[in-house]
């Protein structure tokens, strides 16, 4: 679609173009002074990492701004340029939103962290220690002990508390079906992460066995959480990919996403961002500063930056 | 026989129920049968909406715009330029207020550029010490009302400061200080337009209903697409949510102004504008001020939701705290939100009620004494902050800004309270919970899902017909038809089941509590304060304790909804009972009836229309909470709305799902409102 | 207070064939009727006739009272003349200008400079103090706060409310509130004063007091007044002329005495039947010409005095009482026998003969 540009607008644009090219022509590679917008979600490691990243950018002389955002909706904002980047894209929870936005255009894949993630059904470790379902964490144990996992609304079946349906659609019900567990087990979709954590706390209080969806690295690691060992994931094994569905989750990636203009507006910062690479341990450290040492997120980030110059200095060079 | 039927509505209703039950029994649940479920003809609607929005925002009327950052011309749609212009304006206002309190550089950047601000690091607005803001609030309270409000306002700000919530609270405050007045002004303007033109009123009414009932989540994404992410987007979503009650109450108030007062204004020689501004609006202000109160409450109730699309402040902190189950911290943040709400409400009320005294012959010093005091507080605060910078060497100047989490904390106290609740009631409630789920909820839910679509339509439209004739029947049928033609009818049935249960419970609790409290003026006042508190207190917070006690089950969902939906039932019951004319009480007493008889035979029927509207609002509130229920875990419309956020056609899905929820509400609204109006007319109350 | 006192003959208010019909298709129905409006027929079509063919003049300084039962169209007529509502047909002139042709601006100008109105329900602004209420018309006009407040203070004194400046209307009694309403309507010193049942909402004692107050004010101010009431006693006490309305039609417009003595229609006759004559008639209607031969008492009564108010004096006097006019000159004498006859003798033809 080609339409006439209002004349005044074009004149203005041309004028500023001339002014700017003549001015910025000298320092071509320099980053724009426009702030880089980093999103803040609602879990500790992400927030600390946001401030760590912000600190890195600031050390390079960039302006940074933080904006709270929903962790699913943020990709639409990156696409529109309202948010510059996202530094924690979890494969199984946000993969769908990320790829949807990418398909519409405007979002680029800015590389992958070394940290791998696992997102899977599992039980609190004490369930295994107390032998509430002999044979766990092997999935075959589930065949015989569904009663231990029954709840009032599950109709006598054992209950899997899965994350919201928007996270992985019908994956878990399909898996139950494929593994031949569907007669004795049912899936309940929780509304959000809060619901998962409350279930963990309440099951512990009651000494009741429970199976919930969870991931690592996560703050629940500290209290002990064991993932169920399903048949190994192979590409294409899932129902939606045409497989038989008899498989668990893969080791997931942790990616970084950015708006497509980021490399052009802030070349230096983008380079640093693409080098940014955290391991599972480092992410755990950041989360622990807040969750265990009860530090404020900003303070935790400052402390981490101070303690780990050797790690991040090379990225910003 | 026909005569009887025509005479007695309840007989008609019995007949309707009989037909309904027969249909439920004899219509088979076969897929593909139109009697059982309608085909999803509207399946493509979300996609169409999505495409239109995409077209509007990304393809319609492209112009070349130069982007200095990438030194290239880019094709930019005009629509986007317009909406971003609006965003920029709102954002500027919010940032301006925010930086007055907290300091910053964005306001300066607006008038210069990021380049300039980066090169001139000295050009940073410093922000006020918290002591000055707290002192200022106290002086304002004193000026507007007196020592009581001064103490309360001062206390609130000191509390916020020393409990280490200063920065997020001030961010939230600056957000509300822009969103609330905008909502108030827009609401007032729309209310005035509706008052002046019947057409506007007719158009506005359903829109207001939809805006109020549609779960906020369902328009978060459209707002985000149109306006971007940030405080301005949060503000816009908040304004959509907070404006309807303001419009309603403005209109109601203006309509109540006696025609003679308006005529007096015109005879005094008022122009149309003077008449509106100086006669009608001030005369209607009792109702308008209730509108203002509602706007402020709704704005703060939206703080958490707004943080999902970028509003900075307490909302996001609250979500982080809850995500770690740190209920103590979350409660503390909740208290800050409620305190801010109440302070703003009281200050705005006091401001609106302020009078000028023309006779006090005041000297310059007297007239400006409050400004002078503020200058004093300002100087003292700055000096204190300066002293503080000498005393506190380790980087935190407690006399300037107490950093987040460095203040005192009441967290452990609240946490202990929650733990106690849990320890005390967990096992007691477990049995109840199981019984409730197995013997009540599951059967009801199954029954709802087993309704053939033709039976549902018969029941709803039949009720509409009995209450309000063919017109009501058609309106109700229209709403249902929309839902039935989407692919989410079953989900809507589950939403209806949750809502029905919630409304039954809330209505019962609300009416009983309201009735009991209405017997004593003081108890009634307290109940209303409770209503305010629970209306602003973020529902997210009690979600967790409730889930702890009742698990991830429908019981928890119901309780979360009931806590919120009981508010209007209780509020309207009190208001209704209080508005029963005094003579009627006396007449009743003279006739020798006892208190309970009097309640049953006089007060209850007389306040019935109010209660019906209270139930109507209960429905609205319950539906608005559907989304909160979804955060616990349901399989209804709310769950899908939550999910829409991550979907490719999120805008369309969110909106259509939102409409489905809104239409359930509107259908019920249609029936209840018609009925209440008839009762009102019959009782001669209108 | 009497119209004869005025020497100008141009009417201040002039109504020519004024109609006011409520309803959606009022204009069309009006056109079709061709000036002959039948209320019953209109009612069938969903139209309500408020004012039906009203024509009359009001002269400077005259106090015209509009009387009628509730719903007879009194207020509607008043609202047409003040153009709070637009008449459906007819012409209304204020000081010779057709107000139906005025645009909004001229109308506002007219109201700001010439008109004041008092309402039955007081219609005070609840959010303003007494003082602010009175100052309001001035402030709307653009008078500065200081000046308007000062003037409002004077008005407060005029209606004897001084000391309550900072009260709110809700803190005042009904009588006091209406005093405020009166003060407000007079604040801009209007030439024309509309009062729509100003005292109907007050209890009888206060009403009497307020009527006295009103007469006192009118004595001082002598405005042209349109005064609506449904209380005949009130009308008789106050009026120069009375218009009696029924179903929107002015049945008769005349002096109180003429209305009582010569009712134009059956309705007016019924309406006035019960009215005691002595309450209506002035002394001049029963006085005899001065007869120097007759001994008269030293007592003097005004020829404008209502008979009832001086009956006791006349009856107690052994000799006829002198009647004087406003200048104090003796214009006649009144005999007790005449008064007795009037009071107890039923309708008298001969007195009516002396009228006009
Ligand atoms: N705004 C209106 N719309 C329709 N009818 C009206 C309106 N105002 C007055 N009327 C009708 O006009 C008639 C005259 O009313 P009104 O002038 O108020 O009577 P009054 O003042 O003599 O009691 C009544 O029948 C009344 O119902
Ligand atoms: Mg009237």
């Amino acid at each position: 679609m080609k339409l006439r540009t209002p004349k005044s607008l074009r004149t203005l644009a041309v004028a500023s173009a001339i002014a700017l090219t003549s001015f910025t022509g000298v320092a071509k590679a320099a980053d724009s002074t426009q702030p880089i917008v980093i999103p803040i979600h609602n879990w500790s490691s992400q927030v600390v990492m946001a401030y760590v990243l912000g600190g890195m950018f600031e050390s390079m002389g960039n302006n940074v701004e933080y904006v709270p955002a929903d962790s699913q909706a943020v990709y639409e904002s990156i696409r529109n340029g309202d948010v510059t980047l996202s530094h924690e894209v979890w494969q199984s929870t946000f993969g769908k939103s990320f790829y949807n936005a990418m398909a519409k255009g405007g979002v680029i894949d800015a590389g992958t962290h070394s940290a791998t993630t696992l997102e899977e059904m599992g039980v609190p470790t004490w369930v295994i220690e107390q032998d509430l379902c002999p044979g766990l964490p092997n999935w075959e144990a589930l065949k015989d002990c569904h009663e231990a996992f029954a709840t009032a609304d599950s109709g006598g079946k054992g209950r899997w508390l899965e994350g919201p349906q928007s996270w992985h659609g019908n994956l878990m019900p399909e898996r139950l079906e494929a593994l031949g567990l569907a007669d004795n087990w049912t899936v309940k979709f929780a509304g959000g992460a809060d619901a998962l954590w409350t279930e963990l706390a309440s099951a512990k209080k009651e000494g009741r066995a429970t199976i919930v969806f969870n991931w690592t690295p996560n703050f629940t690691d500290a209290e002990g959480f064991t993932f169920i060992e399903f048949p190994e994931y192979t590409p294409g094994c899932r129902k939606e990919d045409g497989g038989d569905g008899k498989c668990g989750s893969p080791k997931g990636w942790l990616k970084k996403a950015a708006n497509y203009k980021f490399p052009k507006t802030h070349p230096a910062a983008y380079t640093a961002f693409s080098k940014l690479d955290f391991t599972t341990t480092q992410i755990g450290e950041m989360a622990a500063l807040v969750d265990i040492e009860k530090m404020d997120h900003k303070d935790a980030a400052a402390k981490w930056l101070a303690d780990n110059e050797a790690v991040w200095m090379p990225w910003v060079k | 026989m026909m005569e009887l039927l025509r005479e007695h509505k309840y007989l008609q209703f019995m007949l309707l129920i009989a037909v309904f039950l027969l249909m439920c029994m004899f219509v088979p649940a076969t897929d593909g049968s139109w009697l059982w479920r309608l085909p999803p003809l509207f399946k493509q609607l979300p996609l169409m909406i999505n495409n239109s929005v995409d077209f509007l925002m990304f393809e319609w009327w492209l112009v070349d715009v130069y982007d200095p950052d990438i030194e290239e011309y880019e094709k930019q749609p005009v629509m986007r330029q317009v909406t971003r212009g609006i965003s920029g304006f709102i954002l500027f206002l919010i940032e301006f207020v925010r930086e007055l309190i907290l300091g910053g550089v964005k306001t300066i950047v607006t008038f210069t550029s990021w380049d300039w601000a980066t090169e001139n690091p000295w050009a940073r607005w410093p922000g006020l010490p918290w002591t000055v803001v707290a002192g200022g609030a106290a002086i304002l309270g004193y000026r507007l009302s007196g020592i009581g409000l001064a103490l309360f306002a001062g206390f609130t700000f000191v509390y916020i400061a020393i409990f280490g919530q200063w920065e997020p609270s001030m961010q939230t405050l600056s957000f509300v200080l822009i969103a609330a007045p905008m909502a108030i002004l827009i609401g007032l303007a729309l209310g005035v337009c509706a008052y002046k033109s019947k057409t506007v009123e007719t158009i506005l009414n359903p829109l207001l209903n939809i805006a109020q009932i549609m779960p906020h989540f369902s328009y978060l994404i459209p707002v985000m697409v149109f306006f971007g992410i940030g405080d301005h987007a949060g503000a816009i979503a908040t304004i959509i949510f907070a404006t309807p009650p303001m419009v309603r109450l403005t209109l109601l108030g203006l309509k109540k102004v006696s025609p003679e007062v308006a005529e007096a204004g015109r005879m005094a020689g008022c122009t149309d504008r003077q008449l509106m501004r100086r006669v009608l609006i001030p005369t209607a202000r009792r109702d308008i001020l209730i509108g203002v109160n509602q706007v402020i409450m709704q704005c703060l109730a939206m703080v958490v939701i707004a943080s999902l699309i970028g509003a900075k402040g307490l909302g996001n902190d609250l979500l982080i705290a809850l995500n770690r189950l740190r209920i103590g911290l979350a409660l503390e943040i909740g208290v800050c939100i409620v305190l801010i709400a109440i302070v703003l409400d009281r200050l705005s009320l006091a401001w609106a009620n302020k009078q000028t005294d023309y006779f006090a012959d005041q000297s310059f010093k007297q007239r400006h004494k409050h400004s002078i005091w503020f200058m004093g507080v300002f100087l003292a605060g700055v000096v204190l902050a300066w002293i503080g910078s000498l005393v506190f060497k380790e980087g935190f100047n407690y006399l300037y800004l107490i950093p987040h989490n460095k203040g005192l904390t009441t967290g452990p106290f609240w946490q202990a309270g929650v733990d106690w609740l849990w320890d005390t009631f967990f096992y007691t409630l477990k049995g109840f919970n199981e019984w409730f789920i197995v013997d009540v909820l599951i059967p009801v839910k199954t029954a709802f899902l087993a309704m053939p679509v033709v039976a549902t339509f018969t029941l709803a439209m039949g009720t509409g017909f009995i209450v309000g004739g063919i017109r009501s029947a058609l309106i109700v049928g229209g709403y249902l038809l929309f839902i039935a033609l989407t692919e989410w009818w079953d989900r809507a049935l589950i939403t209806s089941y949750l809502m029905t249960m919630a409304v039954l419970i809330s209505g019962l609790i609300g009416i009983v509590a309201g009735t009991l409290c209405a017997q004593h003026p003081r108890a009634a006042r307290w109940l209303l304060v409770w209503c305010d508190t629970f209306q602003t207190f973020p529902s997210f917070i009690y979600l967790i304790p409730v889930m702890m006690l009742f698990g991830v089950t429908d019981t928890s969902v119901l309780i979360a909804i009931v806590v919120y939906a009981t508010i209007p039932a209780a509020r309207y019951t009190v208001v209704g009972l209080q508005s029963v004319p005094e003579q009627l009480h006396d007449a009743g007493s003279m006739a020798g009836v006892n208190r309970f008889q009097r309640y049953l035979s006089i007060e209850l029927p007389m306040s019935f229309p109010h209660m019906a509207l209270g139930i109507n609002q209960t429905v609205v509130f319950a539906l608005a909470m559907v989304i909160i229920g979804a955060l616990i875990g349901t399989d209804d419309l709310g769950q899908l709305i939550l999910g829409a956020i991550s979907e490719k056609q999120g805008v369309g899905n969110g909106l259509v799902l939102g409409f489905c929820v809104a239409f359930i509400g509107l259908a019920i609204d249609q029936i209840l409102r018609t009925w209440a109006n008839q009762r009102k007319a019959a009782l001669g109350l209108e | 207070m009497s119209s004869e006192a005025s020497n100008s003959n141009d009417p201040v208010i002039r109504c020519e064939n004024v109609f006011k019909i409520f309803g959606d298709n009022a204009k069309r129905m009006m056109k079709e009727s061709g000036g002959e409006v039948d209320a019953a027929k209109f009612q069938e079509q969903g139209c309500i006739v408020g004012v039906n063919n009203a024509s009359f003049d009001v002269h400077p300084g005259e106090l015209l009272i509009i009387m009628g039962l509730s719903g007879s169209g009194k207020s509607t007529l008043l609202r047409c003349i003040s153009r709070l509502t637009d008449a459906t047909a007819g012409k209304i002139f204020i000081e010779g200008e057709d107000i139906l042709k005025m645009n909004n601006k001229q109308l506002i100008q007219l109201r700001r400079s010439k008109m004041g109105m008092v309402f039955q329900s007081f219609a005070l602004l609840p959010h303003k103090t007494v003082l602010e209420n009175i100052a309001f018309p001035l402030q709307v006009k653009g008078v500065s706060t200081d000046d308007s407040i000062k003037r409002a203070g004077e008005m407060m004194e005029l209606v004897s409310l001084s000391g309550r400046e900072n009260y709110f209307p809700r803190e005042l009694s009904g009588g006091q509130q209406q005093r405020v309403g009166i003060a407000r309507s007079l604040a801009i010193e209007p030439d024309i004063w509309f009062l729509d049942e100003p005292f109907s909402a007050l209890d009888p004692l206060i009403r009497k007091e307020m009527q006295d107050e009103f007469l006192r004010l009118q004595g001082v101010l002598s405005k042209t007044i349109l005064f609506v009431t449904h209380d005949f006693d009130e009308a008789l006490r106050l009026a120069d002329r009375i218009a009696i309305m029924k179903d929107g039609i002015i049945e008769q417009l005349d002096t109180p005495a003429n209305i009582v003595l010569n009712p134009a229609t059956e309705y007016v006759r019924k309406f006035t039947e019960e009215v005691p004559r002595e309450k209506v008639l002035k002394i001049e209607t029963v006085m005899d010409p001065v007869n120097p031969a007759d001994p008269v008492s030293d007592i003097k009564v005004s020829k404008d005095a209502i008979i009832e108010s001086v009956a006791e004096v006349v009856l107690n006097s052994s000799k006829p009482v002198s009647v004087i006019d406003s200048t104090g000159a003796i214009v006649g004498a009144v005999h007790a026998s005449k008064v007795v006859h009037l009071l107890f003798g039923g309708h008298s033809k001969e007195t009516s003969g002396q009228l006009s």
Side-chain angles (χ1 to χ4, degrees), chain A residues 1 32-33 35 42 63 65-66 68 70 72 80 82 97 100 191 197 205-206 219 260-261 265 291 299, chain B residues 59 67 69 74 80 84 106 114-115 118 228 308 310 312 323-324 406 423 430 630-632 646 648:
Chain A
M1 182 138 84
S32 157
T33 48
N42 59 356
N63 289 312
E65 194 186 339
Y66 306 95
D70 178 78
Q72 297 285 353
N80 286 328
D82 298 316
S97 305
N100 280 343
W197 314 150
K205 169 135 204 124
E206 213 179 332
F219 77 99
Y260 73 105
K261 281 193 210 165
T265 54
D291 292 341
D299 300 343
Chain B
E59 282 156 44
D67 183 341
D69 280 329
E74 270 203 322
R80 194 186 144 94
R84 295 304 143 105
K106 288 215 185 131
W114 277 106
D115 286 335
T118 313
L308 292 176
K312 297 189 179 78
N323 200 276
R324 290 294 337 283
K406 293 291 177 308
D423 288 337
K430 197 170 138 62
L631 283 173
I632 296 175
S646 63
K648 229 186 273 173

Side-chain angles (χ1 to χ4, degrees), chain B residues 258-272 274 278-279 282-283 285 355-359, chain C residues 79 82-84 108 111-112 115 117 119-121 123 125-127 131-132 136 139-140 145 165-166 168 184:
Chain B
S258 96
E260 288 210 334
V261 169
E263 285 176 345
R266 282 168 63 194
M267 283 312 287
C270 285
T271 60
D272 284 355
Q274 283 175 324
R278 303 180 65 164
V279 176
T283 307
R285 77 186 187 165
Q355 296 296 329
T356 357
D357 186 350
Y358 296 97
F359 289 97
Chain C
R79 278 163 177 67
S82 56
R83 228 189 111 180
L84 283 170
I108 287 170
R111 287 182 185 144
R112 284 180 178 178
M115 292 179 171
M117 187 151 172
F119 297 86
Q120 176 174 5
S121 64
L125 302 180
H127 62 289
L131 197 68
E132 289 169 323
F136 183 69
Q139 293 178 346
V140 160
T145 310
E165 283 80 0
N166 285 337
F168 281 97
R184 175 178 67 182

Side-chain angles (χ1 to χ4, degrees), chain B residues 561-582:
Chain B
I561 301 178
V562 163
V563 171
Y564 190 62
T566 304
I567 298 169
R571 201 196 287 274
Y572 280 79
T573 305
V574 171
V575 174
L577 287 174
Q578 283 181 339
S579 66
V580 174
E582 204 54 45

Side-chain angles (χ1 to χ4, degrees), chain B residues 67-87:
Chain B
D67 183 341
D69 280 329
I70 54 172
E71 297 172 24
E72 268 171 29
Y73 280 95
E74 270 203 322
K75 290 239 174 285
Q76 287 280 3
V78 166
M79 189 68 192
R80 194 186 144 94
Q81 303 296 70
V82 172
T83 57
R84 295 304 143 105
I86 300 172
S87 303

Side-chain angles (χ1 to χ4, degrees), chain B residues 280-340:
Chain B
L280 294 178
I281 290 178
T283 307
R285 77 186 187 165
R286 241 183 80 96
D287 289 303
I288 291 178
L289 285 178
I290 300 177
V292 170
N293 158 283
Q294 286 300 300
V295 167
I296 292 175
M297 295 301 150
Q298 300 285 64
C299 278
L300 282 141
M302 273 292 279
V303 159
V304 177
I305 306 276
S307 82
L308 292 176
I309 50 173
K312 297 189 179 78
L314 293 168
N316 193 53
D317 287 12
L318 184 77
L319 287 180
I320 296 177
L322 287 181
N323 200 276
R324 290 294 337 283
L325 298 188
R326 287 170 69 176
I327 306 187
L329 184 58
L331 274 166
E332 204 170 84
I333 296 174
V335 171
C336 289
I337 295 181
V338 173
L339 280 177
I340 292 178

Side-chain angles (χ1 to χ4, degrees), chain B residues 409-684:
Chain B
T409 174
T410 46
F413 166 76
W414 298 113
Q415 189 76 50
V418 173
D419 287 344
W420 175 82
L421 256 171
W422 202 13
D423 288 337
T424 320
F425 294 111
F426 187 79
Y427 292 101
T428 338
L429 291 177
K430 197 170 138 62
F432 163 78
N433 189 17
E434 256 163 41
W435 166 81
F436 191 59
I437 290 174
V438 174
D439 291 336
V440 180
L441 293 182
I442 292 184
V444 175
K445 184 175 173 182
T446 319
F448 265 80
L449 284 170
M451 267 193 296
V453 74
V454 37
T456 319
F457 270 78
T458 309
L459 183 64
M461 292 179 69
T463 313
F465 182 75
I466 293 170
V467 171
I470 192 76
R471 187 168 168 273
S472 286
L474 287 179
I475 294 177
V476 170
Y479 288 136
L480 288 198
L481 189 64
F482 178 89
I483 306 173
L485 291 179
T486 64
E487 49 183 331
W488 297 307
W489 177 254
D490 284 84
R491 301 262 179 175
L493 286 177
I494 300 176
T495 298
S496 313
Y497 132 76
L498 282 171
M499 187 211 63
T500 311
M501 295 301 294
V503 169
L504 286 178
I505 301 171
S506 307
L508 195 68
I509 300 177
I511 290 177
V512 169
T515 305
L516 292 178
C517 288
Q519 311 304 321
H520 297 280
R522 181 173 309 173
R525 232 183 2 257
W526 269 107
L527 187 72
L528 294 182
V529 170
W530 269 104
C531 287
D532 278 355
T533 309
F534 269 97
Q535 203 178 339
T536 37
F537 194 73
S539 20
F540 289 84
I541 297 177
Y542 49 73
L543 227 64
I544 304 270
V546 167
M547 268 197 283
M548 283 178 162
L549 289 174
F550 297 97
V552 184
T553 60
D554 283 359
T555 315
S556 296
V557 177
L558 266 184
I559 289 173
I561 301 178
V562 163
V563 171
Y564 190 62
T566 304
I567 298 169
R571 201 196 287 274
Y572 280 79
T573 305
V574 171
V575 174
L577 287 174
Q578 283 181 339
S579 66
V580 174
E582 204 54 45
Q583 306 96 290
L584 278 182
H585 288 214
D586 298 345
S589 307
M590 289 307 287
V593 295
N594 70 27
R595 200 167 182 161
F596 188 66
Q597 283 171 330
R598 194 181 78 192
Y599 174 72
L600 278 188
S601 58
I602 298 178
E603 300 177 17
L604 193 64
M606 283 303 284
S607 51
F608 216 73
H610 263 103
M611 286 187 198
L613 284 187
I615 295 297
N616 171 314
Q617 284 298 299
T618 301
V619 172
V620 170
F621 274 46
L623 284 170
M625 279 294 281
V626 157
I627 204 73
I628 303 293
L631 283 173
I632 296 175
T634 53
D635 39 12
D636 68 343
L637 294 169
Q639 175 81 72
L640 290 183
I641 294 176
L642 268 189
I645 273 189
S646 63
E647 263 159 40
K648 229 186 273 173
Q649 20 170 315
V651 177
N653 275 355
L655 283 177
V656 173
L657 285 161
F659 283 135
C660 286
V661 176
F663 287 170
I664 297 177
L666 289 180
I668 297 171
D669 174 82
Q670 170 67 30
I671 294 172
L672 277 180
R673 198 179 288 263
T674 316
W675 185 48
N677 285 345
Q678 283 173 359
R679 296 299 309 156
K680 251 189 198 170
L683 293 169

Side-chain angles (χ1 to χ4, degrees), chain C residues 129-150:
Chain C
T129 59
V130 167
L131 197 68
E132 289 169 323
N133 260 292
I134 298 175
F136 183 69
L138 296 164
Q139 293 178 346
V140 160
K141 231 169 122 173
V143 178
S144 76
T145 310
D146 280 351
D147 290 352
S148 62
I149 292 295
K150 196 161 141 265

